[in-house]
Amino acid sequence: LTVEYLQFASLMIRTSPNNLADRRKELIKSVWPIMKSEDVRKHYAQYLFCRIFEGFENSPPKITYQIYVDLLHSHQSEAKHLVRQGLDILLPVLKLRHSAETGKFPMWIRQTKKILLEEGHHYLKVIHILHLIVRHPNIFYPYRLQFLSHMISHMDRNGLIANPSSEIRKLCLSIVEVMISWDTHRIYEIKQMNADHLKSLAIKSEGHDSASVNPLLRYVESQFEEKLRSQYPEIIVSYLIRIAKSTNDAISVQSTTKDQALIKESSKVFIKRTLELLNQALIVWPYVSIKYTLFERTLSSQNDSTGILLFLKTLSIIID
């Protein structure tokens, strides 16, 4: 009965929040005790709170942050869809209403970073947070430096283990895709700032008032950012080549069952996407040096025709 009540309340807030505006405080008080339960009711209560925060602008920030942190910790498979939906509802609300805080980073960013630092050993919790980042890359873009090292570490440590699950492989490629898009946007921002500065100089030369400070001077990278950004393009390109090669090696074995044939087909799709991302990465970072030693074993083998074909495809992308 409790679950049905929570579902109905969530539906009411989503479809007609104005009808419950006067009863918001009573609703929060009635639902809050359910948050202490240890079963699926807690996740339905979390979801309801997310709908409340979405529907009413004057929701208490303290409770909003507490629900967000609870959802970050709720990585268990039970009611996973509710947890993800709750985070997908709540995160844009936090971005919109709680980004202009005192200090360099908003509280919700600091809390996300804190969990990754203090509980980075908790594999499933890290995956849960990384999934959140790749689902909302634009929201995390201004704070990307707080998470890049964790994303790279997960990709490099877990994406290349023997027989990784399809979820881990997909997540690692999504991480790569996000990092490429982030740097593409960063380069675009710098070009726009430079163009705006040239316009301001033109206006100033005509006798109009204009800011004399080059906006590029305000885009000064910290030593940490410069060092990190100089390293991760090569890590990403190397990872893409290695994961494509290891996946190709795994499907080189003759398929004997229907399930193996299906795995082989999905692996081919995975390799295709990997090579597409490799192409995008080399467009954004054309200066990256390629480690051809990764293919030494393939090229020395006379029977590895699929491996040689993959090498030729990779070489074609690099040359283009």
Side-chain angles (χ1 to χ4, degrees), residues 117-214:
L117 285 174
E118 296 180 354
E119 303 189 42
H121 59 281
H122 204 304
Y123 180 70
L124 293 178
K125 193 170 292 186
V126 171
I127 290 177
H128 177 54
I129 294 176
L130 291 178
H131 271 297
L132 177 65
I133 294 174
V134 300
R135 291 200 309 273
H136 300 276
N138 294 336
I139 291 178
F140 282 97
Y141 171 75
Y143 319 105
R144 61 196 181 281
L145 291 179
Q146 302 301 302
F147 305 104
L148 277 175
S149 58
H150 299 283
M151 296 165 74
I152 293 170
S153 175
H154 172 81
M155 179 189 71
D156 204 37
R157 185 171 64 247
N158 300 309
L160 291 168
I161 60 174
N163 301 318
S165 67
S166 59
E167 180 187 6
I168 294 301
R169 294 198 307 175
K170 290 177 181 177
L171 176 59
C172 288
L173 284 195
S174 296
I175 289 173
V176 169
E177 189 171 13
V178 167
M179 293 175 71
I180 292 173
S181 68
W182 278 352
D183 220 44
T184 301
H185 188 66
R186 181 192 65 82
I187 294 169
Y188 171 78
E189 281 185 334
I190 293 178
K191 289 180 179 179
Q192 284 295 109
M193 293 170 71
N194 195 34
D196 292 342
H197 178 61
L198 292 175
K199 289 180 182 178
S200 69
L201 290 178
I203 293 173
K204 187 177 181 180
S205 66
E206 294 174 2
H208 301 289
D209 293 333
S210 177
S212 58
V213 179
N214 186 342

Side-chain angles (χ1 to χ4, degrees), residues 48-313:
L48 174 57
F49 273 114
C50 292
R51 286 297 182 190
I52 292 173
F53 301 145
E54 179 189 39
F56 305 111
E57 293 187 8
N58 57 343
S59 300
K62 185 176 180 180
I63 298 179
T64 308
Y65 291 137
Q66 185 169 342
I67 297 299
Y68 177 69
V69 173
D70 283 347
L71 287 169
L72 290 181
H73 285 291
S74 300
H75 61 278
Q76 299 88 346
S77 58
E78 183 185 46
K80 183 183 291 186
H81 66 288
L82 278 176
V83 174
R84 289 195 175 187
Q85 288 177 25
L87 283 169
D88 291 342
I89 293 167
L90 188 56
L91 195 60
V93 174
L94 291 171
K95 170 69 174 178
L96 182 64
R97 301 176 193 167
H98 303 290
S99 287
E101 301 177 354
T102 303
K104 187 174 181 181
F105 302 111
M107 175 67 76
W108 51 278
I109 286 293
R110 297 201 298 270
Q111 290 290 348
T112 309
K113 175 74 171 181
K114 181 180 179 182
I115 293 174
L116 285 174
L117 285 174
E118 296 180 354
E119 303 189 42
H121 59 281
H122 204 304
Y123 180 70
L124 293 178
K125 193 170 292 186
V126 171
I127 290 177
H128 177 54
I129 294 176
L130 291 178
H131 271 297
L132 177 65
I133 294 174
V134 300
R135 291 200 309 273
H136 300 276
N138 294 336
I139 291 178
F140 282 97
Y141 171 75
Y143 319 105
R144 61 196 181 281
L145 291 179
Q146 302 301 302
F147 305 104
L148 277 175
S149 58
H150 299 283
M151 296 165 74
I152 293 170
S153 175
H154 172 81
M155 179 189 71
D156 204 37
R157 185 171 64 247
N158 300 309
L160 291 168
I161 60 174
N163 301 318
S165 67
S166 59
E167 180 187 6
I168 294 301
R169 294 198 307 175
K170 290 177 181 177
L171 176 59
C172 288
L173 284 195
S174 296
I175 289 173
V176 169
E177 189 171 13
V178 167
M179 293 175 71
I180 292 173
S181 68
W182 278 352
D183 220 44
T184 301
H185 188 66
R186 181 192 65 82
I187 294 169
Y188 171 78
E189 281 185 334
I190 293 178
K191 289 180 179 179
Q192 284 295 109
M193 293 170 71
N194 195 34
D196 292 342
H197 178 61
L198 292 175
K199 289 180 182 178
S200 69
L201 290 178
I203 293 173
K204 187 177 181 180
S205 66
E206 294 174 2
H208 301 289
D209 293 333
S210 177
S212 58
V213 179
N214 186 342
L216 280 176
L217 296 178
R218 294 196 292 268
Y219 199 92
V220 179
E221 296 177 337
S222 65
Q223 290 183 348
F224 170 74
E225 179 178 3
E226 186 177 357
K227 181 180 179 180
L228 186 62
R229 194 168 56 77
S230 66
Q231 292 177 345
Y232 74 73
E234 186 170 332
I235 294 174
I236 289 175
V237 170
S238 176
Y239 168 78
L240 289 171
I241 294 175
R242 289 161 65 194
I243 194 64
K245 184 180 180 302
S246 64
T247 305
N248 186 74
D249 291 344
I251 65 175
S252 297
V253 182
Q254 183 68 30
S255 302
T256 57
T257 66
K258 185 177 180 180
D259 289 341
Q260 288 176 334
L262 290 173
I263 293 173
K264 187 172 183 177
E265 287 303 313
S266 65
S267 295
K268 288 180 179 179
V269 174
F270 177 82
I271 292 173
K272 181 180 178 182
R273 188 186 174 206
T274 302
L275 294 179
E276 289 171 351
L277 287 173
L278 177 61
N279 184 49
Q280 294 176 28
L282 291 175
I283 291 174
V284 179
W285 307 304
Y287 52 83
V288 171
S289 59
I290 308 297
K291 295 180 179 178
Y292 294 100
T293 53
L294 296 172
F295 287 96
E296 281 184 353
R297 184 176 174 183
T298 299
L299 295 175
S300 62
S301 174
Q302 297 179 354
N303 300 321
D304 191 4
S305 58
T306 57
I308 293 174
L309 180 59
L310 176 65
F311 170 73
L312 293 175
K313 288 180 179 178

